[in-house]
Amino acid sequence: MSIFYDFELKNWFTLNKQSKTLGFNKHPVQMVSSAPARSLFFPISPKEEVPLIGILTGRKKDNKVTGNGRLFKELQKEIMKNGGLSIVFTPQNINDNSISGYMYLPTKDKWYTVQCPIPHVIYNRVPFRRIEKSDSFYEAYQFFKSKNIPFFNTCFLDKHELYQVLSKDSYFQKLIPETIKICEKSPFQTFFQKHRQLYIKPSLGSKGKGIYLASLNKDSTIQLQGQEELLLYEDFHTFWLKWNSVFLKKSYIAQKAINPLLYNGKRFDFRILVHYVNNQFNVTGIGIRQSKEQNITTHVPNGGIILPYKQLQSEKHDQFITELANRAGKLLSKQIGFFGEFSIDAGITADGKYVIYEINSKPMRFDEQEIEKKRFQTLASLFLELAGL
């Protein structure tokens, strides 16, 4: 069985003798005896109601559509296996009763411009924070909200706002290093003197970019270590004069540095992928990232290396990660908005205590192929669950 798109009529049809609908508004898929020449066939086995998943992305400054093309392709393949379709679109592509966008056809490995009814579910994969702050994104969000269409993954997470949410919960209070937003010289200096060693991070950063390890030495000098540089300042005042404009302009946080447990002499972190499944948040996959040349970040783009979780796995770790995932998902969805997918960066201190560093609402690709494969399968199933199909 297939359904097909007629480029001339900009509508959907089927050769099946049973009536079908497509999208949230149950747009009729018309039955015809033959397809016109300019048609796009999608080889799926549609049920009575064909699931349609909208993948919301954005445009670059040159107006070209951007986003994680590989993710979009793999999701289309999985969704088609489940008798549905997905369409990639931007906030500017929304009309009252339809959206225009781009649909991937795996048999030809090509993207095509199509027009579709309103989707059952919206998966937010807008790649830049500036787009999420735009009027067009806000209007798109309100449009789908007004129709009670599930909006999957509300927004990017701000590190300081995340800390504020987590610090008010008794379970997470003991897991997160003390953190402040860098706003004024005096409170920051007091915080620095209290902890002596801090991680300084951009609140809106990702992939380990812009992170520094700042150390206050006994002689009052300050050492600032980046991923590729080491700077020294004679005192806090000199350090503040040099950096305050950067910290204040881009919004930075200061976080107490922990003394991490080492494996083969290097720090390591857990990378935990979580999805909402059957009314709870389950762990889809766990990877280990270990620093190699520097101990500031374990991210692979910054020189980190990949280790299999089974190399450090224990029953205690399993129990902690399972509980952490479910609690984090419930808290985030209650306090910020629904997050059907997120990842957590967690670690262990030298004295054996668990700690969490980050929660990411739009996880990067996992290098472990088995985790990525399970991710696509889980997402496709979750979309159908949210669509009520």
Side-chain angles (χ1 to χ4, degrees), residues 116-135:
C116 283
I118 301 299
H120 289 96
V121 177
I122 305 301
Y123 180 39
N124 178 15
R125 287 302 303 193
V126 168
F128 305 121
R129 295 175 188 269
R130 62 172 174 79
I131 297 177
E132 280 196 348
K133 293 179 179 179
S134 67
D135 291 340

Side-chain angles (χ1 to χ4, degrees), residues 226-237:
Q227 291 160 20
E228 297 180 352
E229 59 185 344
L230 183 63
L231 305 170
L232 189 67
Y233 301 91
E234 61 183 44
D235 53 29
F236 182 84
H237 178 70

Side-chain angles (χ1 to χ4, degrees), residues 11 17 56 133 146 155 159 166 175 223 231 251 256 267 292 295 302 310 363 372 375:
N11 207 348
K17 294 182 179 180
L56 182 60
K133 293 179 179 179
S146 70
C155 60
K159 290 180 176 61
L166 297 179
L175 296 176
Q223 178 178 294
L231 305 170
S251 182
K256 174 188 174 183
R267 70 171 294 161
K292 187 177 181 182
N295 272 323
N302 298 319
K310 63 182 180 181
E372 277 291 275
R375 178 189 186 185

Side-chain angles (χ1 to χ4, degrees), residues 7 234 374:
F7 284 105
E234 61 183 44
K374 189 176 179 182

